[in-house]
Amino acid sequence: LQSLWNDFDQQYRIERKQLILSEKIGQGCFVDIHQGEWKQSRKKSLSIAVKILRDRTISSMFEYLTEIN
């Protein structure tokens, strides 16, 4: 599981300083979903939804990774 999480982390990592989180807009089984903005550069940004794991246990991470794959 750790290697799966590390592979996922490296492939899809966005630096926290590039994100601006706004209000909570929903929730799923394992996550809270927030409206956000991803600052890709000084001139380019995207409106996004950000999923934040509520429980950071190994089993929750595994369930979440299974859900999104």
Side-chain angles (χ1 to χ4, degrees):
L1 177 63
Q2 187 65 37
S3 64
L4 177 62
W5 186 255
N6 287 338
D7 290 345
F8 178 83
D9 187 46
Q10 293 301 317
Q11 187 175 358
Y12 298 104
R13 176 172 283 200
I14 297 172
E15 296 295 325
R16 176 65 178 97
K17 64 185 177 186
Q18 294 177 286
L19 297 175
I20 299 171
L21 294 181
S22 300
E23 65 186 275
K24 181 178 170 181
I25 57 175
Q27 66 183 44
C29 294
F30 309 103
V31 297
D32 291 328
I33 305 165
H34 291 260
Q35 184 175 343
E37 186 176 349
W38 177 17
K39 298 279 191 183
Q40 295 177 308
S41 68
R42 289 182 184 213
K43 295 182 179 179
K44 185 175 180 184
S45 64
L46 293 172
S47 293
I48 59 172
V50 178
K51 291 183 174 183
I52 300 173
L53 285 172
R54 283 192 299 272
D55 179 12
R56 294 184 180 180
T57 63
I58 296 294
S59 61
S60 291
M61 288 181 197
F62 181 77
E63 290 293 329
Y64 176 69
L65 289 172
T66 301
E67 178 182 293
I68 63 172
N69 280 327

